[in-house]
Amino acid sequence: MSGRARLMWDEAVTKYDFGPDHPMDPVRLALTRRLVDAFGLDREVDVVAAKAAGDSTLRLVHREDYVAAVKAASADPGAADGSYGLGTVDDPAFAGMHEVSALIAGQSVGAAEAVWRGDAAHAVNFAGGLHHAMPGAASGFCVYNDAALAIARLLELGAERVMYVDVDVHHGDGVQAAFWEDPRVLTVSLHEHPRTLFPQTGWPEETGADGAAEGSAVNVALPAGTGDSGWLRAFHAVVPELAVSFRPQVLVTQHGADTHFEDPLAHLAVSLDAQRAVQAACHELAHEYAGGRWVALGGGGYAVVEVVPRSWTHLVGIAAGRPVDPETVIPQGWRQEAYARTRQLGPMRMTDGRWPVSWGAWEAGYDPADRVDQAVVAARRAVFPLRGLLA
């Protein structure tokens, strides 16, 4: 296995652009890449551009008629009428949509291949993590589900146990749906409760199809307003025990930055420092239980200057073995570029001032009146016994 991490990047991924009024502003990708470079992390990783996912790869997850519909909407955006989820407010059609969506998917598939074959210790595609796309429909700003495609490619290459951990504020519904009947894939999602946030799924009772796959989906539905200590407590109360039990051969993680208290589309109150702590925890879990094989993806995140570039630069640094100290001052040149592109003032440091973060260990006991603890208990009771674990 190569000792270096791989950063999957092609500048053309910034063409994933739903228009000037859409929250999914591709400037967040460009600014992340520039911040990675500003800290010299591009010299600590192998920067690789993979080819776009072809039709046979896309069909590992997506229906043939859906891929055809995306191609048609890509060629003639004005004809998209909302069928297949294309041409909607969330997923407006745009010229070249198929090509850039397939390119992003290709980066995640390439990341999975590199990690599985030992060409890279870890691989990051922060343009990916488009976890809402369904086998037959676009959804939630996502056209092709690169996370599910990466996992499907791992299975095709011979992986027998893949663990997927999704810490985006929204439920990882598309990935869960893709592997609902497949016990080889354990999907774990920590997200804001479906009562208060799209896609209104991710209830603890969603545990996988009856039979062999029962217990292969895990959902921790956190109350709106959950902050650092609660979010970290929930993660550590659920994810490590599942990793110990499942013994994944590869860990695939999705790091949507929209759990942040500055994010305009959701209601959790997590800091950049807690996001960094979970990224580091995923890195450790990969080494402890998955032979170091780690594929890390981006996801949501709509505070495109203040939050996203910092969060995913931390992710790249952790994967590269060169973590950025939270107190590090952000280079002035990057802040000037961010302002020139967005007319927003950029952050000064790589911290929200909450480092080091802390949380209460689950093993010390829980409070049945605490809403975060209630969410953890619900998830553990729904799934842990199915996996032979104590709830």
Side-chain angles (χ1 to χ4, degrees):
M1 180 182 292
S2 168
R4 285 172 67 87
R6 185 168 290 192
L7 174 61
M8 310 304 298
W9 178 258
D10 186 317
E11 196 72 27
V13 299
T14 59
K15 295 179 181 177
Y16 191 81
D17 189 351
F18 290 114
D21 299 321
H22 196 281
M24 186 78 110
D25 189 336
V27 75
R28 70 198 193 121
L29 302 179
L31 289 177
T32 300
R33 178 59 206 273
R34 302 301 175 265
L35 192 56
V36 166
D37 291 355
F39 284 119
L41 294 174
D42 57 318
R43 298 189 296 271
E44 305 292 337
V45 297
D46 295 325
V47 181
V48 176
K51 64 181 181 180
D55 286 4
S56 62
T57 298
L58 294 173
R59 287 200 297 269
L60 291 174
V61 168
H62 295 290
R63 296 200 320 249
E64 186 173 2
D65 59 316
Y66 173 62
V67 174
V70 174
K71 289 181 178 179
S74 183
D76 184 8
D81 60 3
S83 58
Y84 293 99
L86 302 167
T88 62
V89 172
D90 275 2
D91 297 278
F94 60 92
M97 178 174 63
H98 164 74
E99 289 76 11
V100 69
S101 299
L103 182 63
I104 291 172
Q107 305 315 302
S108 292
V109 171
E113 291 172 344
V115 166
W116 181 253
R117 290 171 174 160
D119 297 333
H122 315 311
V124 179
N125 176 26
F126 57 72
L130 304 179
H131 60 168
H132 295 307
M134 292 291 176
S139 177
F141 314 163
C142 305
V143 177
Y144 292 138
N145 196 319
D146 64 285
L149 288 163
I151 295 168
R153 179 62 175 141
L154 288 167
L155 298 177
E156 189 177 51
L157 290 171
E160 297 176 344
R161 295 181 308 281
V162 180
M163 185 173 183
Y164 172 74
V165 178
D166 189 318
V167 295
D168 193 289
V169 77
H170 302 91
H171 176 226
D173 58 338
V175 183
Q176 176 179 286
F179 302 105
W180 185 251
E181 299 178 352
D182 195 332
R184 295 174 297 174
V185 182
L186 176 62
T187 64
V188 185
S189 180
L190 284 80
H191 48 266
E192 184 178 328
H193 201 285
R195 285 197 190 95
T196 54
L197 195 65
F198 173 90
Q200 282 78 53
T201 58
W203 299 80
E205 295 79 14
E206 297 170 30
T207 59
D210 291 342
E214 192 175 17
S216 65
V218 185
N219 288 289
V220 186
L222 296 166
T226 297
D228 288 359
S229 60
W231 192 64
L232 291 166
R233 177 172 167 82
F235 178 92
H236 287 281
V238 173
V239 178
E241 281 188 68
L242 291 170
V244 172
S245 170
F246 188 59
R247 297 178 297 112
Q249 294 164 299
V250 188
L251 181 65
V252 179
T253 57
Q254 196 268 21
H255 297 273
D258 43 9
T259 52
H260 196 274
F261 56 77
E262 292 279 1
D263 196 88
L265 299 189
H267 318 99
L268 294 191
V270 172
S271 73
L272 181 79
D273 301 298
Q275 291 177 348
R276 183 186 186 278
V278 160
Q279 294 165 4
C282 289
H283 180 224
E284 292 172 7
L285 287 171
H287 279 287
E288 289 178 18
Y289 305 113
R293 299 184 189 91
W294 182 32
V295 176
L297 308 174
Y302 310 100
V304 299
V305 175
E306 178 70 23
V307 178
V308 175
R310 292 190 297 160
S311 186
W312 293 345
T313 296
H314 275 306
L315 180 64
V316 173
I318 289 165
R322 296 291 186 273
V324 178
D325 188 286
E327 294 296 334
T328 304
V329 174
I330 292 175
Q332 180 65 18
W334 182 87
R335 297 182 71 246
Q336 290 173 343
E337 180 175 358
Y339 184 78
R341 284 175 174 254
T342 67
R343 290 298 182 263
Q344 296 182 42
L345 293 174
M348 297 295 294
R349 294 180 182 270
M350 291 293 286
T351 178
D352 285 333
R354 299 185 180 180
W355 190 264
V357 290
S358 62
W359 64 94
W362 188 254
E363 294 76 12
Y366 67 91
D367 180 358
D370 182 88
R371 294 178 65 207
V372 170
D373 282 8
Q374 290 171 4
V376 171
V377 167
R380 289 176 62 103
R381 285 179 176 169
V383 173
F384 276 38
L386 298 174
R387 306 203 64 85
L389 299 171
L390 293 175

